[in-house]
Amino acid sequence: MTRDGGPAFPSEKTSFDYSGHVVDTKGMSLRDYFAAAALHGFMASKSYSTHFKPEQDAQYVYMIADAMLAERAK
């Protein structure tokens, strides 16, 4: 199991959908947030978009996110 760092933006507030059911308020994981931030910078600096391989880029940014979580845990 991958440790995801917990919720990136936790909320104690209870939220409801349009039919009145309680919805999950945990939001995205910290791991997903770190990966999204890494992807943003990575894609902005990428100059070879004709050779774009989304699967490899996704693996790369999650490796960065995992390294950030590991550093954070020290």
Side-chain angles (χ1 to χ4, degrees):
M1 179 174 106
T2 302
R3 295 190 183 273
D4 66 6
F9 305 103
S11 173
E12 297 297 323
K13 179 180 160 193
T14 302
S15 296
F16 301 91
D17 65 12
Y18 291 107
S19 58
H21 296 99
V22 174
V23 295
D24 181 14
T25 58
K26 293 180 184 174
M28 73 169 65
S29 70
L30 190 55
R31 181 176 187 249
D32 288 337
Y33 180 75
F34 283 165
L39 181 63
H40 182 83
F42 179 63
M43 295 306 293
S45 66
K46 206 170 183 183
S47 62
Y48 52 94
S49 60
T50 57
H51 304 296
F52 181 70
K53 293 190 177 160
E55 298 83 8
Q56 291 174 337
D57 292 345
Q59 290 173 348
Y60 179 68
V61 297
Y62 273 100
M63 284 176 25
I64 292 171
D66 291 339
M68 292 171 74
L69 287 170
E71 189 63 29
R72 186 174 186 262
K74 289 183 180 180

